[in-house]
Amino acid sequence: MGDNAASAGPRGLFKRETKGFVTKPVRLQLERGHMRFFAEILGETDPVFSDLIAAQAQGYPDIVAPPSFAAVIETMASEEQRRSGERPLTEVIGCDFRHLLHGEQHFAYDGLMYAGDEVVITTLVEDFFEKRGGMLEFVVLLSTISHAERGVLVRTRRTLLHRFG
Amino acid sequence: MEQILSSEDARPGSALPELSFGPISRSLLAQYAGASRDPDPVHIDIDFARAAGLPDVFAHGMLSFGIVSRMVTQWCGVEQLREIGARFVAVTQVHDVITCHGTVIECFERAGETLARIEVTATTQDGRNALSGEALVALG
């Protein structure tokens, strides 16, 4: 698709020079109450996501994080960066919430995450690309969530985009 | 979740029990924003949405993704889920009801496990496709 001459307005808001940037590892505690609330909002009925006794009865050390909680950890990492005086990744790559959409999300699981876990997340700014002659501008972020003893638990791929018009 | 699905339970073409969710209310979006720690005001602040040229706030893509994940793990158990991914095809609006579907596409071997590839979708009450993707689930 060629450039659309009629499309004025902001273009290319992502800071493409950040391609290859890797965040410093961010350490996060997974809180039982937070995980349970998240599971409840999604209407999770499997008690392993909300009931400590039921989770332990199935051999888990604590309640289990729902699969999409990995995305919450990605967001919490940005919060934590801000708290510790660093620029959050969304700011580093130049996200503009007025135009921002979530394009794709993928998770690969090597292990479960439990309440009480301390996990470490790092994120790589893998790529930027455009579609529709620059009317859509994409960034691909790859994150790894790991645990000191259990190793890598989740690998995520998040595609965000700016839509102009 | 004790019983692990076998290849008998996951033949190509078999459908997962479908799951409906909604209608999506503004208060649900506020709660999801808090629960997911999403800082994007476009989902909860109509003033922000209008200033950005949008008619209204709209739902988080990850909300539908979370419901689709719930459909899959209700079927197979969370421990059996190896991968799940989706593309957000269209925005989900306030008051939409989402229905999630899953269909087994194929079963194959990978790294000593039998995996089922599940095609997943979330559609709205008027047939708009909000999300489409796939999950890989380990069979017993």
Side-chain angles (χ1 to χ4, degrees):
Chain A
M1 213 173 285
D3 278 325
N4 180 354
S7 59
R11 302 282 286 268
L13 295 176
F14 284 132
K15 294 173 180 152
R16 301 188 193 194
E17 67 276 16
T18 60
K19 179 173 171 173
F21 177 82
V22 181
T23 62
K24 280 190 218 163
V26 177
R27 203 169 291 278
L28 296 162
Q29 293 284 339
L30 307 190
E31 295 164 6
R32 190 190 295 153
H34 179 200
M35 279 169 47
R36 180 188 284 144
F37 179 59
F38 181 77
E40 283 169 0
I41 295 296
L42 294 179
E44 290 287 5
T45 53
D46 187 337
V48 297
F49 297 123
S50 55
D51 182 339
L52 176 62
I53 305 299
Q56 288 178 335
Q58 294 205 25
Y60 302 127
D62 207 306
I63 63 168
V64 178
S68 63
F69 196 76
V72 182
I73 293 173
E74 294 183 270
T75 311
M76 285 165 64
S78 274
E79 271 179 27
E80 198 54 35
Q81 284 157 343
R82 193 186 301 278
R83 224 172 260 138
S84 62
E86 284 174 52
R87 292 167 71 214
L89 182 62
T90 45
E91 204 176 297
V92 170
I93 62 173
C95 289
D96 183 332
F97 288 128
R98 291 171 302 169
H99 302 286
L100 194 70
L101 290 169
H102 198 170
E104 293 185 33
Q105 182 78 46
H106 184 270
F107 301 114
Y109 304 96
D110 296 310
L112 295 175
M113 298 186 289
Y114 307 109
D117 278 352
E118 182 178 279
V119 297
V120 174
I121 176 168
T122 57
T123 304
L124 161 71
V125 181
E126 198 204 33
D127 201 11
F128 293 97
F129 62 95
E130 293 182 350
K131 286 184 182 173
R132 294 193 203 158
M135 291 297 283
L136 302 174
E137 179 197 33
F138 296 81
V139 58
V140 182
L141 304 171
L142 302 184
S143 297
T144 303
I145 300 171
S146 49
H147 181 272
E149 281 97 51
R150 307 202 304 276
V152 173
L153 301 179
V154 190
R155 288 162 286 134
T156 83
R157 188 176 71 240
R158 167 180 291 225
T159 305
L160 302 174
L161 67 140
H162 286 143
R163 183 175 62 185
F164 305 114
Chain B
M1 291 307 119
E2 295 77 17
Q3 84 291 3
I4 292 174
L5 295 170
S6 71
S7 308
E8 294 297 306
D9 304 308
R11 290 180 182 284
S14 33
L16 279 61
E18 72 172 41
L19 188 58
S20 285
F21 189 83
I24 291 168
S25 65
R26 294 172 197 283
S27 62
L28 175 74
L29 295 184
Q31 288 196 303
Y32 185 80
S36 69
R37 311 287 269 267
D38 188 313
D40 190 340
V42 82
H43 302 298
I44 50 174
D45 184 339
I46 195 168
D47 299 334
F48 180 91
R50 286 185 175 156
L54 299 165
D56 200 350
V57 298
F58 60 91
H60 306 78
M62 286 308 295
L63 176 59
S64 299
F65 191 111
I67 307 300
V68 167
S69 305
R70 180 183 137 204
M71 170 185 68
V72 175
T73 58
Q74 279 182 355
W75 180 69
C76 68
V78 65
E79 212 165 323
Q80 302 307 111
L81 182 64
R82 295 291 174 270
E83 295 185 28
I84 186 164
R87 195 161 63 86
F88 302 104
V89 182
V91 158
T92 307
Q93 308 289 353
V94 176
H95 310 311
D96 277 349
V97 177
I98 308 167
T99 302
C100 305
H101 299 273
T103 309
V104 179
I105 299 304
E106 59 166 343
C107 295
F108 62 100
E109 301 287 324
R110 187 180 77 178
E113 284 189 313
T114 304
L115 299 179
R117 187 186 306 278
I118 320 292
E119 180 185 81
V120 294
T121 59
T123 52
T124 58
Q125 66 288 345
D126 49 358
R128 280 173 289 131
N129 184 14
L131 167 166
S132 70
E134 61 177 48
L136 295 181
V137 165
L139 305 173

